[in-house]
Amino acid sequence: SFDIETVVDIVSAHRTPEKLMDFGTNAHRRGFNVIVAGAGGAAHLPGMLAAMSPLPVIGVPVKSSNSIDGWDSVLSILQMPSGVPVATVALNGAKNAGILAAQILASQ
């Protein structure tokens, strides 16, 4: 509804690590300005992208079939080490992640 061009891709920190490396290190060169990454279970994707990319990353913890009511995803995304920030929205909070991404883009 904000008329913002988006790219949707499926990338996994565990199943497609080479694709993750390529995406994370080249997203800013491809013209992206912010990354929204949903992750369930161990939820490594947002943090790994933040470690590789200079772009702001918004993590969406997802309650998945292999999660502990989604709390493992929430904590994995929230507890990033100093120097590797990931903005985190509520469990299954993709709508808020999209709005936050639009706000980041509007401030540029």
Side-chain angles (χ1 to χ4, degrees):
S1 65
F2 294 116
D3 198 32
I4 297 170
E5 184 180 348
T6 60
V7 173
V8 177
D9 202 352
I10 297 173
V11 180
S12 170
H14 302 108
R15 292 180 180 88
T16 60
E18 295 85 10
K19 185 175 181 179
L20 168 69
M21 289 292 291
D22 179 59
F23 183 87
T25 57
N26 293 305
H28 65 289
R29 292 183 189 98
R30 292 178 57 197
F32 297 149
N33 297 99
V34 62
I35 298 171
V36 176
H44 289 115
L45 184 64
M48 292 297 295
L49 287 168
M52 291 183 253
S53 178
L55 299 175
V57 175
I58 303 168
V60 182
V62 177
K63 185 176 179 180
S64 62
S65 61
N66 67 335
S67 72
I68 305 167
D69 271 344
W71 283 106
D72 47 344
S73 303
V74 171
L75 295 173
S76 292
I77 298 172
L78 279 176
Q79 298 297 334
M80 291 303 300
S82 178
V84 187
V86 175
T88 309
V89 296
L91 182 63
N92 293 331
K95 183 174 182 178
N96 276 353
I99 293 169
L100 179 56
Q103 291 172 323
I104 291 170
L105 293 171
S107 69
Q108 294 180 346

